[in-house]
Amino acid sequence: MFFPIAFVAARQLARPLFVRGFSTSQVYAANKMKIAVIGQSQFGTEVYNLLKKEGHEIVGVFTIPDLQGKPDPLAVAGEKDGVPTFKFPRWRVKGQSIPEVVQQYQACGADLNVLPFCSQFIPMDVINTPKHGSIIYHPSILPRHRGASAINWTLIHGDKKAGFTIFWADDGLDTGPILLQKECYAGPNETLDSLYNKFLYPEGIKAMAEAVQLIADGKAPRMPQSEDGATYEPMLKKKDSVQINWDQPGESLHNFIRGNDKLPGAWTTINGEQVTLYGSKMFKKEVPEGTEVEVPGASKPAIVHKGGMIFTGNDGKMLNVKNLQFADGSMIPAKMFGKADAGGATLELTAEEKELEGQLKDVWKGILSIEDIQGETDFFKAGAGSMDVVRLVEEVLQRCSDVNLQNEDVYMNTTFHDFMQMVVRKARGLDEPDEFEYDAIEMHVNNLKLEFPNQLFINNEFVDASNGATFDTINPTDESVICKVSKGTKDDVNTAVQAAKEAFEDGPWGKMNPRDRGKLMYRLADLMDEHKEELATLEAIDSGAVYTLALKTHVGMSIDTFRYYAGWCDKIMGTTIPINQARPNHNLTYTKREPVGVVGLIVPWNYPLMMLAWKMGAALTPGNTIVLKPAQVTPLTALKFAELAVKAGFPPGVINILPGAGSQVGQAILDHPDVRKVGFTGSTPVGKDIMRSCAVSNLKRVSLELGGKSPLVIFNDCDLDRAVRQSLSGCFFNKGENCIASGRLFVEESIHDEFVTRVVEEIKKMKIGDPLDRSVDHGPQNHLAHFNSLLEYCKVGVEQGAKLVYGGKKVDRPGLFLHPTVFTEVTDDMWIAKEESFGPVMIISKFKDGDIDGMLKSANDTEFGLASGVFTKDINKALYVADNLQAGTVFVNTYNKTDVAAPFGGFKQSGFGKDLGQEALHEYTRTKAVTVEYWL
């Protein structure tokens, strides 16, 4: 009997946009085998390369004959290495093995046949010849989706779980015992290409090598396949098998289209012409304005609109298609359907562009093996396939690295004239990008129509978590669920870091002029300004920030931060250093400030957007790329920011944002060997754990802005009205959820009682309520766990003997509202005197008039040292106290007066490193010294 190998559809898939190396070091297995590799394609080639690298002996390569004079990549690899390479057109005739073919195979003496991907039928006397038999890769979780179009059917059925199986060959169709399986989450917009490139290709290669080693070590299982749940679907190869049946629900239509994207391509008839649909996504917004187009069999006309083409299922649910391909192979954006001029006027080429035109003609000649390339020469009609598309894109990028060319651009510009015009448009910056689209959450709140993302942001796309997991983000005003948010995983961090690394090393960001980088940052700041009401509203509903404060501080300072650092992009300079000369020659020594690479940022929940801006602004300025984890309880403004970053023009991979748990996403960032720097704002205990992880992983550089217990000193010669106002702001600003909140007040004895009386009077005037109410002063605490910790903090204060003057309890209304709280008679030995509340709790201690040194001893008797303040009219006293307070920031006759140009950071266990100002740039750059010797 014979064994027909599955996975035919994948042979035509484009190679991934980059080819990874799949082993970081050369590993030689103690147990090595002689292996025959039977198959084809880049996938087969990478399996071959990895098996060789791991020390196995490849005794034969068996692949397909050359196509139009071009050998398969596996043949090229085998012949280059001097491995016997055979290109049999077939292994059998009329159901019988070809004896001479089998004899040539058997002469290789293989211990194991490895079939990573093969489109030929292999006879059973070949399958069973080696002592270990044969193993095969199949791109589904067997026994589900047996057959040659397994990936297509996984998506067409809307499976949430995809993956692959490596199994022992038998005489059935994908029925042999299972050796190993690996799974991944299949997102709702996954396509054949995306699933193959992100998981089935890279993980499949590694798994084939893993399976071979298990066999060599005598540890490979043979698990019989169950027939329960087994499915076998027909091959989707011919066009008549993928015509769209419109009498289906919208989601089924979407799954059918994406399940055939890119091959073989689901099609329908429009205006009597066969049209293939690509780039489908469910459309959850209101019906857009546009031009109606009749589609035979559809329940409603299609609508051509500015974002594509809308189709409707029989259940009324809509899907949007991005691109259309016609029977002649030409492709257009769906939004251009029915428009006379889809490509724009022909451009006159400059002398330099004509030179490039000649170079690209040579590229086409090399790929197509034809001498005469005319304007009307069609790339695909001349014999090119999808592998040639990848080669063409890569060769163009080698010649014009500033052109953002994608495989799809080739499919949409198939003649040389159209292709050249497209390249020139991109090079001149005339290519208008498609409107950025994602599956938005829509809400009407604060008299605004809010649209914002709720997925992970990786490589300029919003995507589901790799396992499909989500979590609820809660509005602390009423504890209602705002929406579900994708919950990142370690695999997602790996994907994001890979994207960030490629953007840094190979993408346009790493090659961009510093001034152009600054322009992007200015543009981003302008977009944040345009959307400030939306951003402030999101801060209010997601973090409980009072809207007016969010508008001015949370969002306003974020905008200022990006504008400030945009101006620094072309001003990061080194120095020239005089050194001893190597006489009679001369020397020049200079330093350069360089970006460090991929930066991991972990930001807190009290100022979700502002903390992002403080760290990311400084990190982007010298050219680093970012993987950021927002706090799990406040992810929304970070995700909205990501949307604006794409619209500002930031290249893919530069900014990646992954909501999720610190134990998963945060830890994966810390552990990743390609992350070179971590910036963190949060608690001191977590900061210590971060330092350990950074040390153990790869000695990452780290900067930490941690907890505080900031002393605020009120002398009896101060302006008391001002001191009261500023003390209230220092303690209760942003509901006390403020890292530099005045955690303990030291009030001179002679004014203590009057100060406390005035403070309580002012607190009683504060309006507590809905943060979207413009008249409200004080909103809800950020989340339930924190709210409960504040109640416990107040309880401990009372138990230890402090006097509760005001508050200390929940406000009598729904939501996480705590009364602003005041404790007096607090002594140095009390827990609340030393520990941060991170909430609206004012701790007041009195000190004897004139006992400055005694007060300083108490104020410095803490492991924190983030900020501090002093109120007095005596400049000598002010400067003495400022000199002797152990804190990174000292405010005199003011408080909370931070500015984007002033460095911010703490002493002792409040951390190290600086945010803001020029000093922050040192955290995200490294110094390189260069010494040159020269002579006459």
Side-chain angles (χ1 to χ4, degrees):
M1 298 186 69
F2 302 91
F3 188 84
I5 306 302
F7 198 20
V8 171
R11 78 169 178 232
Q12 298 176 27
L13 283 170
R15 199 179 81 185
L17 298 182
F18 51 88
V19 177
R20 303 174 177 88
F22 290 96
S23 181
T24 55
S25 60
Q26 189 137 347
V27 180
Y28 287 98
N31 301 308
K32 296 182 285 187
M33 289 193 296
K34 296 179 178 179
I35 292 173
V37 177
I38 305 175
Q40 63 206 69
S41 80
Q42 188 65 37
F43 183 82
T45 307
E46 291 293 343
V47 171
Y48 163 90
N49 288 333
L50 187 53
L51 292 176
K52 277 182 62 73
K53 194 168 189 176
E54 295 198 347
H56 300 287
E57 181 184 357
I58 310 299
V59 294
V61 165
F62 299 85
T63 187
I64 59 175
D66 297 353
L67 294 175
Q68 298 180 335
K70 290 182 288 187
D72 185 83
L74 181 57
V76 173
E79 290 169 346
K80 179 182 177 183
D81 293 337
V83 174
T85 300
F86 305 87
K87 304 176 183 179
F88 300 139
R90 62 187 62 84
W91 292 72
R92 63 177 189 168
V93 173
K94 296 181 179 179
Q96 299 298 315
S97 304
I98 302 173
E100 55 270 28
V101 169
V102 175
Q103 289 169 8
Q104 289 182 72
Y105 158 78
Q106 291 174 338
C108 292
D111 298 326
L112 174 72
N113 291 331
V114 173
L115 290 82
F117 164 52
C118 178
S119 60
Q120 297 176 311
F121 284 82
I122 311 300
M124 287 306 298
D125 44 359
V126 171
I127 292 292
N128 293 330
T129 290
K131 65 179 180 180
H132 293 297
S134 302
I135 60 170
I136 302 167
Y137 173 94
H138 183 84
S140 78
I141 305 299
L142 291 174
R144 190 162 172 79
H145 305 308
R146 292 170 177 166
S149 296
I151 312 176
N152 306 75
W153 288 106
T154 297
L155 300 176
I156 291 169
H157 284 285
D159 292 1
K160 297 292 189 290
K161 183 173 68 176
F164 57 81
T165 304
I166 298 173
F167 67 97
W168 300 92
D170 67 2
D171 58 358
L173 181 60
D174 305 330
T175 56
I178 294 170
L179 195 161
L180 65 79
Q181 291 182 321
K182 291 187 184 287
E183 299 177 359
C184 72
Y185 172 69
N189 295 314
E190 211 78 69
T191 66
L192 208 66
D193 275 354
S194 68
L195 184 57
Y196 181 69
N197 287 337
K198 83 170 187 181
F199 186 80
L200 299 177
Y201 179 90
E203 296 303 320
I205 291 164
K206 290 185 281 189
M208 286 299 282
E210 179 186 346
V212 169
Q213 194 55 52
L214 286 171
I215 296 168
D217 294 340
K219 299 177 180 178
R222 291 176 178 263
M223 297 174 284
Q225 285 194 44
S226 170
E227 290 304 308
D228 291 339
T231 62
Y232 174 82
E233 292 96 355
M235 182 187 299
L236 298 174
K237 187 176 181 181
K238 297 180 179 180
K239 289 299 278 188
D240 59 3
S241 65
V242 288
Q243 183 176 4
I244 300 169
N245 170 18
W246 290 107
D247 189 20
Q248 299 181 73
E251 188 172 357
S252 298
L253 293 170
H254 164 65
N255 288 338
F256 189 78
I257 294 168
R258 71 187 179 99
N260 289 287
D261 185 346
K262 288 287 190 289
L263 292 166
W267 65 276
T268 189
T269 301
I270 304 178
N271 294 343
E273 185 176 7
Q274 180 175 300
V275 179
T276 304
L277 312 184
Y278 297 112
S280 172
K281 286 188 177 182
M282 295 303 293
F283 191 84
K284 301 174 183 178
K285 303 178 184 179
E286 296 176 359
V287 179
E289 294 183 1
T291 305
E292 291 190 353
V293 177
E294 291 296 328
V295 179
S299 59
K300 292 183 179 180
I303 301 173
V304 179
H305 67 115
K306 66 179 182 179
M309 197 167 184
I310 297 289
F311 296 87
T312 306
N314 60 13
D315 59 352
K317 292 186 178 179
M318 297 179 288
L319 54 139
N320 188 56
V321 168
K322 293 287 288 185
N323 297 312
L324 307 176
Q325 187 174 35
F326 299 100
D328 63 1
S330 63
M331 185 179 281
I332 64 167
K335 66 183 179 181
M336 301 301 294
F337 183 81
K339 298 183 180 179
D341 182 12
T346 298
L347 302 173
E348 290 293 328
L349 305 189
T350 65
E352 185 177 349
E353 289 164 349
K354 287 180 179 178
E355 183 179 343
L356 175 62
E357 182 181 36
Q359 295 176 15
L360 295 187
K361 277 189 177 182
D362 290 338
V363 172
W364 278 48
K365 289 177 184 178
I367 294 174
L368 300 175
S369 301
I370 57 177
E371 282 303 315
D372 188 22
I373 301 294
Q374 299 293 326
E376 63 272 15
T377 300
D378 188 286
F379 192 66
F380 297 102
K381 291 179 181 178
S386 56
M387 289 286 293
D388 300 308
V389 172
V390 177
R391 176 180 166 185
L392 177 59
V393 168
E394 295 300 322
E395 293 214 33
V396 172
L397 292 177
Q398 284 181 349
R399 289 161 175 79
C400 5
S401 59
D402 57 339
V403 172
N404 181 22
L405 191 66
Q406 304 292 332
N407 290 11
E408 201 163 88
D409 295 319
V410 182
Y411 289 108
M412 297 181 72
N413 299 274
T414 60
T415 67
F416 183 78
H417 171 270
D418 291 347
F419 179 80
M420 186 63 207
Q421 288 282 307
M422 176 269 299
V423 170
V424 171
R425 285 182 181 277
K426 285 180 176 288
R428 292 185 187 181
L430 301 176
D431 188 49
E432 183 179 341
D434 287 337
E435 182 179 346
F436 181 56
E437 292 186 349
Y438 60 90
D439 293 330
I441 300 295
E442 294 184 0
M443 297 177 64
H444 290 270
V445 61
N446 198 25
N447 296 318
L448 293 171
K449 179 183 177 183
L450 284 184
E451 292 187 0
F452 56 91
N454 68 332
Q455 297 168 287
L456 313 181
F457 181 71
I458 301 175
N459 212 27
N460 274 20
E461 288 187 299
F462 286 106
V463 296
D464 291 336
S466 59
N467 61 359
T470 62
F471 64 91
D472 293 336
T473 189
I474 305 297
N475 184 340
T477 301
D478 58 8
E479 298 185 82
S480 63
V481 175
I482 301 170
C483 65
K484 291 189 178 295
V485 177
S486 294
K487 187 176 184 181
T489 67
K490 181 179 178 180
D491 287 341
D492 295 318
V493 172
N494 291 339
T495 302
V497 172
Q498 178 71 29
K501 185 180 180 183
E502 289 172 8
F504 180 75
E505 295 179 351
D506 303 317
W509 181 254
K511 303 176 180 69
M512 191 177 292
N513 290 324
R515 203 162 296 163
D516 293 331
R517 197 159 56 238
K519 289 179 182 177
L520 282 182
M521 293 179 68
Y522 276 124
R523 194 177 305 152
L524 176 55
D526 290 344
L527 282 170
M528 292 169 70
D529 207 358
E530 289 176 25
H531 293 266
K532 61 187 176 185
E533 289 84 4
E534 297 163 64
L535 290 167
T537 301
L538 286 172
E539 290 277 90
I541 66 173
D542 204 25
S543 77
V546 171
Y547 174 76
T548 51
L549 175 65
L551 203 58
K552 179 182 182 297
T553 302
H554 291 234
V555 179
M557 193 173 187
S558 301
I559 296 166
D560 290 345
T561 301
F562 274 99
R563 286 181 174 149
Y564 173 79
Y565 281 115
W568 268 107
C569 285
D570 61 354
K571 300 173 186 68
I572 300 175
M573 297 173 283
T575 58
T576 56
I577 304 169
I579 66 170
N580 290 337
Q581 305 293 309
R583 297 177 179 175
N585 296 339
H586 300 275
N587 294 98
L588 168 66
T589 295
Y590 62 92
T591 62
K592 298 172 63 180
R593 303 291 302 183
E594 298 181 338
V596 298
V598 179
V599 171
L601 300 177
I602 302 174
V603 296
W605 44 258
N606 58 327
Y607 294 105
L609 184 64
M610 193 170 78
M611 292 297 99
L612 174 154
W614 281 22
K615 295 187 186 302
M616 192 182 293
L620 289 173
T621 297
N624 297 297
T625 55
I626 310 297
V627 177
L628 179 139
K629 190 197 91 67
Q632 186 170 345
V633 291
T634 53
L636 298 184
T637 44
L639 295 173
K640 184 66 179 180
F641 167 87
E643 174 197 337
L644 300 180
V646 177
K647 292 180 176 178
F650 276 76
V654 176
I655 296 171
N656 304 273
I657 295 178
L658 285 79
S663 60
Q664 297 294 316
V665 174
Q667 193 62 49
I669 290 172
L670 301 176
D671 293 340
H672 203 290
D674 290 329
V675 176
R676 295 297 173 185
K677 155 76 183 181
V678 167
F680 170 76
T681 294
S683 71
T684 296
V686 175
K688 292 178 179 179
D689 290 337
I690 284 174
M691 281 191 71
R692 292 187 195 99
S693 294
C694 288
V696 169
S697 59
N698 60 344
L699 281 178
K700 290 175 177 64
R701 292 173 57 185
V702 60
S703 52
L704 303 171
E705 193 261 279
L706 306 176
K709 188 68 175 176
S710 301
L712 177 57
V713 183
I714 313 294
F715 285 106
N716 60 14
D717 63 348
C718 70
D719 177 338
L720 192 56
D721 289 338
R722 180 176 181 82
V724 169
R725 288 196 309 273
Q726 292 289 320
S727 297
L728 289 164
S729 173
C731 187
F732 302 129
F733 189 84
N734 198 45
K735 312 158 295 173
E737 295 167 353
N738 186 19
C739 51
I740 59 169
S742 48
R744 187 179 182 190
L745 276 67
F746 292 87
V747 183
E748 213 159 11
E749 190 171 32
S750 59
I751 62 167
H752 173 271
D753 293 348
E754 182 182 359
F755 178 85
V756 172
T757 299
R758 289 200 188 187
V759 163
V760 173
E761 287 174 354
E762 292 301 317
I763 291 174
K764 290 178 179 178
K765 298 175 186 177
M766 293 171 61
K767 182 175 180 180
I768 302 172
D770 186 344
L772 293 174
D773 182 341
R774 275 42 170 191
S775 65
V776 159
D777 302 296
H778 192 85
Q781 305 309 135
N782 187 279
H783 56 280
L784 181 61
H786 177 56
F787 178 80
N788 289 335
S789 75
L790 289 172
L791 292 176
E792 181 65 22
Y793 186 93
C794 295
K795 179 182 176 183
V796 170
V798 171
E799 289 173 349
Q800 292 190 344
K803 182 179 180 181
L804 178 61
V805 176
Y806 192 84
K809 61 183 180 181
K810 186 182 187 303
V811 178
D812 187 18
R813 57 160 292 157
L816 305 177
F817 293 88
L818 182 73
H819 281 287
T821 300
V822 179
F823 279 101
T824 62
E825 300 179 14
V826 178
T827 56
D828 291 353
D829 60 324
M830 292 180 180
W831 184 73
I832 64 171
K834 298 178 182 296
E835 293 299 323
E836 179 181 32
S837 71
F838 212 65
V841 182
M842 182 179 284
I843 307 295
I844 302 176
S845 300
K846 71 173 76 170
F847 68 97
K848 291 181 180 179
D849 288 15
D851 186 13
I852 297 176
D853 289 331
M855 176 274 298
L856 286 170
K857 182 179 179 182
S858 293
N860 290 327
D861 185 23
T862 173
E863 278 299 303
F864 298 112
L866 190 55
S868 60
V870 54
F871 280 83
T872 177
K873 294 177 182 177
D874 185 338
I875 189 63
N876 296 308
K877 194 187 297 182
L879 292 177
Y880 179 81
V881 172
D883 286 346
N884 286 279
L885 284 171
Q886 297 170 5
T889 296
V890 181
F891 299 107
V892 178
N893 291 328
T894 189
Y895 206 84
N896 279 333
K897 181 57 180 172
T898 53
D899 188 88
V900 295
F904 180 93
F907 296 168
K908 299 188 287 189
Q909 291 195 46
S910 286
F912 51 82
K914 297 294 182 184
D915 289 324
L916 301 179
Q918 183 180 1
E919 280 202 43
L921 296 172
H922 301 322
E923 304 295 332
Y924 300 100
T925 55
R926 59 190 180 193
T927 301
K928 176 182 287 183
V930 180
T931 296
V932 181
E933 190 161 319
Y934 60 99
W935 55 89
L936 295 176

